[in-house]
Amino acid sequence: MSTTPIEPTKDEITAAPAIVLRRGLVVTMDAQHAVLPEADVLIVGDKIEAIGPNLSVPDGTVEIDASGGIVMPGMIDTHRHMWQTAMRGYGADWTLTQYFVWNYLEHGIKFRPEDIYAGNLLSAIEAVDAGVTTSVDWSHGLATVDHADAAVDALESVAGRFVFAYGNIHAAPWEWTNSADFRSFVDRRMPRSDMLGFQLAFDVTGDPAFPERAAFEAARELGAAVTTHAGVWGATNDDGIRLMHENGFMTPETVYVHAASLSDDSYQRIAATGGHASVSAESECSCGQGYPSSWALRRHGVPISLSVDTSVWFSGDAFSAMRATLSSDRAREHHEAHAKGETVTHLGVRAEDVVNWGTRGGAKALGLDHLVGSLEPGKKADVVLIKNDESPAMFPLLHPYGHIVFQAQRADVHTVVVNGKVLKHDGHLVDIDLAKARAAVASTVDHIRGELGEQAWAAGMNPEIPESKVLDNPYTYTEYADSSTHSA
Ligand SMILES: [Zn+2]
């Protein structure tokens, strides 16, 4: 018997006690990386109940036709400066130095709590729309706890899964992490839940006095993992890793963002202490933190997760992150071989690997792999259906991982379920107020543009093609500068 499925209405979906995605190509990302053709995924409440062909389902279950599509775990982004999304695309032609000057030294301080809210709201919606069901908000523009309250208000208003990584580039981490304001914020707003996790976000400058010790001790006391920009050319280097290691602060929960421009010794320290890396390949290619590090991390056995970094430059979807990572890793392999007069005949890194890093790898980096990162009965239902019957690029569906990485894009994200709740269906956001985000962001753009004036606004967006030099310690909270990372 064959019937033409009719897509359920929004009201049917939001009221449903259970949902089944029928007849999809299911990419589970379980331990065996099982791929099931023509399979169903049944969601009851906030969990995945069953996966398999022709599942029988409870009465009242709403059906979503997944045929011709790929059902996969929600993607996981381990590092995104969500507050900067209000400046989407503004820094397309920036280097990292120009980013530091604009944000750290000159204009980041002009962002008010409502501006942090606006960027976070848009970024949270954008992530969900693209099938990114868990995002780390690497929130380093928190000049006051009012800014932090605004950031969390925005995250709580969108039903995605988030980890709030508290940071503040305007003050020393060893000071703000121990301030009464910050501690009372943590008590009020960071009870930790499956939907909203908590990390501390700060960088280690390499100052031999290791003033960051007090910030690490605060993280330990609060039971929060540390996420840190490590191995960033011109900003952080092997000294930071060595100091963390010698002082006992490299733990399995620690996330090393970028982890480029590091020596073998640093990679070995990360691997030996069980830490995780967050590769932002689009970012590293443009900014200059160092060559996207997946090729080096693989060599040292450091577990990898992916991230989009910031929408000031880059796309906020994991398809782009997976594609950029696979391309940069393969480019490196070819480049190194050619330098030795050799030819790469078999690729070392596969499309399957980057899908793993963008799902399971992210869950592991965040300590959430018991909940999310794969489609398995008993896990939380963070599920994405990639399907677009209008698209000539959605058939034939031959290589599931290759299709996800090189063929699909955010417009092909048909359905997004987070914690059992449908947030996008049939290509449309469900119960999400995009107009509110649009108005909030417009007001932030007006404010920042007004503060800068037309000349500085235009100059910021169109950097001269100059003279490149490493300059100006971006960490304005400290006097420390090193000749390898800063000019005299
Ligand atoms: Zn970053």
Side-chain angles (χ1 to χ4, degrees), residues 79-81 99 104 138 140 229 257-258 280 283 289 309-310:
H79 152 245
R80 181 185 304 222
H81 306 293
Y99 166 85
Y104 285 49
W138 220 104
H140 57 356
H229 292 115
V257 175
H258 304 302
S280 310
S283 176
Q289 293 95 339
D309 201 348
T310 169

Side-chain angles (χ1 to χ4, degrees), residues 73 98 168 177 224 235 307 310 380 401 441 445 480 482:
Q98 286 157 340
N168 176 9
T177 53
S307 58
T310 169
K380 295 284 190 174
Y401 301 108
V441 165
V445 169
Y480 176 72
D482 176 86

Side-chain angles (χ1 to χ4, degrees), residues 113-114 116-117 120 145-155 189:
E114 57 261 53
I116 303 287
Y117 178 89
N120 267 32
V145 289
D146 292 341
H147 291 72
D149 275 312
V152 174
D153 287 346
L155 299 182
R189 299 301 297 270

